[in-house]
Amino acid sequence: MGAMELFFVDGDISTQVEELAQFIGQQNQSAASFAAEVAQSNDPVQAVLTASQGVLPKVSEDKVEAAYNQLFAIAKTGESGIDGVAATVAKDISANAQSGVAGLRVLNNLYNLVNAAQLAVFSEMVVLAVRVNMLPTLVPLVSQLPKLLSGWTGSAQQKADVVLELRNALDGAQLGNEAYATELVFLEAIGASDARTAKVATSAIVRFANLSAVCDLDALASLDSVQELSQGGQLGSAGELLNALLECDFEQWQKYASANADALKELGVDADKATDKIRLLTVASIAAEHLGEDVPFNKVSQAIGVEEDDIEMWIIDVVRSGLMQGKMNQVTRSLVPTRSTYRRFGADQWSLLAERLDQWKSSLESLQPVIGNAKLVAQQQAMQMAGQAQVTIKE
């Protein structure tokens, strides 16, 4: 018997079931007999769904998506609907798909078709991506997690499980920045009510210290769950580390790191990377205190314990990290910061911002007479020009 092609059928459901049954039977060299068995079944829809297990995931890549689209169309007419069978189908795909690309594509199609089962399907997408070493394909979804979580049907426990499943998978794939971002989602969306939150917060604090590409400390420290755990003393040495990252300049950090070397090592903090992170944060803090002012290179180099000849590279690193914007003047060997990020934006920072806004307001008010005079002069000049102009129309 020649290879059978699968087509979408616009006819009734029995015709669609028969076609898919023949296709499934063909995979076992028994297309006709299996189709007959399905047709005689009390529940042909359920029969074909059951028979698809372990068979359709192994279909060739060029046919598997069409086969599953046919299966999904049939499942929608069943007693349980597509949501009722989605978890079972997704688990079969994640365990048996021969092609990771095709398997993820099919799971994506299924995810977009279901409502209540989206959480279960997403979980199996993570399982499959890990199994076939294609986890980077799910990285763009990390930024969408807050929105996805709000739309998923399931308990807080189930949602937390899926987020941590993704975090663990990203961690295993050496995608530390993305794992950290996932932890922030957990801490914000799940909160301190979950028994695992303190452990996740501890992990996020250590990651912040170790990851060179992550510099927005306020995004972590300002989370309600982190503040609640820290104030309640539930973070232990990790809470002390967070406070040090928030408050210490470079000199203070050196004293803290020396006094707490064993605790930092036990947490898994990379001392060199954490020290470099403090250097970046210290430069940003200096910049925040001197916006629009000339800051001598030697002042910055002394503040972070490096040679003045190396300070330009450190300033470039601070700018590249997103902590600061500004200009360097090689002639005066100084930095003029135009924007800087605070480690923690609290009451003191709001007060300083209000003070600067008042200063800007006063400066603008002082410019109003100058602007008014300039407009008056421009109007007078325009009137003079109009009086001098002549228009002659030849009759």
Side-chain angles (χ1 to χ4, degrees):
M1 181 176 177
M4 173 184 172
E5 292 296 331
L6 187 68
F7 300 98
F8 281 107
V9 178
D10 294 328
D12 57 33
I13 191 63
S14 61
T15 305
Q16 296 185 46
V17 168
E18 180 183 358
E19 182 188 53
L20 186 56
Q22 289 180 355
F23 182 79
I24 293 173
Q26 182 187 334
Q27 309 311 306
N28 297 320
Q29 305 299 319
S30 58
S33 59
F34 178 71
E37 290 177 15
V38 169
Q40 294 171 8
S41 170
N42 293 330
D43 189 348
V45 172
Q46 185 58 49
V48 78
L49 286 169
T50 301
S52 70
Q53 298 293 298
V55 177
L56 288 190
K58 299 176 182 178
V59 170
S60 61
E61 186 173 350
D62 62 324
K63 296 179 181 178
V64 65
E65 188 172 6
Y68 269 107
N69 286 340
Q70 186 97 352
L71 180 69
F72 298 156
I74 293 169
K76 291 177 71 174
T77 69
E79 183 177 345
S80 302
I82 193 166
D83 275 280
V85 301
T88 301
V89 173
K91 189 176 291 291
D92 182 40
I93 296 170
S94 68
N96 298 305
Q98 298 296 297
S99 166
V101 173
L104 287 172
R105 198 161 56 230
V106 170
L107 287 175
N108 185 69
N109 292 342
L110 179 58
Y111 182 92
N112 292 326
L113 287 171
V114 300
N115 294 305
Q118 284 186 333
L119 188 151
V121 175
F122 183 87
S123 177
E124 297 306 326
M125 290 174 70
V126 175
V127 172
L128 176 59
V130 171
R131 183 171 70 82
V132 297
N133 296 317
M134 293 185 62
L135 198 61
T137 61
L138 299 185
V139 166
L141 297 178
V142 172
S143 62
Q144 300 178 38
L145 269 181
K147 182 178 179 180
L148 294 176
L149 281 168
S150 65
W152 285 343
T153 300
S155 66
Q157 173 79 27
Q158 291 172 322
K159 293 179 180 181
D161 289 345
V162 171
V163 175
L164 289 183
E165 180 182 26
L166 177 59
R167 188 281 304 266
N168 294 340
L170 292 167
D171 208 15
Q174 305 299 310
L175 297 171
N177 294 337
E178 292 74 14
Y180 173 77
T182 306
E183 288 177 334
L184 293 188
V185 173
F186 181 98
L187 293 169
E188 182 173 13
I190 307 302
S193 59
D194 193 285
R196 297 164 291 185
T197 300
K199 188 174 182 180
V200 174
T202 296
S203 175
I205 293 168
V206 173
R207 283 185 200 275
F208 179 86
N210 290 340
L211 291 171
S212 59
V214 177
C215 293
D216 185 2
L217 183 54
D218 189 59
L220 170 62
S222 64
L223 293 173
D224 290 341
S225 59
V226 174
Q227 292 183 5
E228 181 180 338
L229 292 168
S230 181
Q231 292 168 5
Q234 296 170 263
L235 296 180
S237 56
E240 295 174 3
L241 170 60
L242 177 61
N243 290 331
L245 291 168
L246 283 167
E247 305 294 343
C248 288
D249 59 21
F250 178 71
E251 184 178 352
Q252 293 168 334
W253 170 264
Q254 285 185 305
K255 294 177 181 178
Y256 163 80
S258 176
N260 297 274
D262 291 340
L264 293 176
K265 183 177 181 180
E266 185 176 351
L267 283 171
V269 175
D270 185 310
D272 292 336
K273 291 181 179 178
T275 299
D276 286 347
K277 178 66 65 69
I278 284 293
R279 285 190 169 104
L280 298 179
L281 294 173
T282 300
V283 174
S285 295
I286 294 172
E289 295 171 0
H290 299 281
L291 289 177
E293 303 175 12
D294 282 331
V295 183
F297 281 173
N298 62 357
K299 178 178 180 178
V300 182
S301 64
Q302 290 172 10
I304 64 173
V306 300
E307 297 292 333
E308 185 176 336
D309 290 342
D310 298 328
I311 196 61
E312 291 185 36
M313 293 306 301
W314 279 100
I315 292 173
I316 291 172
D317 286 341
V318 177
V319 173
R320 186 183 293 116
S321 72
L323 287 171
M324 180 189 73
Q325 290 179 352
K327 297 179 180 179
M328 288 188 290
N329 189 325
Q330 279 80 12
V331 177
T332 61
R333 296 196 60 74
S334 63
L335 164 69
V336 182
T338 56
R339 182 195 68 80
S340 186
T341 301
Y342 289 100
R343 300 188 208 185
R344 174 165 51 191
F345 205 90
D348 292 342
Q349 286 69 40
W350 281 113
S351 178
L352 180 60
L353 177 59
E355 181 182 334
R356 285 177 175 163
L357 287 173
D358 287 339
Q359 292 174 350
W360 292 336
K361 181 179 179 182
S362 298
S363 298
L364 289 173
E365 288 175 348
S366 66
L367 285 173
Q368 284 184 339
V370 177
I371 296 172
N373 288 336
K375 290 174 65 176
L376 182 60
V377 170
Q379 290 172 352
Q380 291 174 343
Q381 290 178 343
M383 291 175 64
Q384 291 175 359
M385 293 292 293
Q388 294 174 0
Q390 296 183 352
V391 178
T392 301
I393 298 178
K394 185 176 182 180
E395 297 181 356

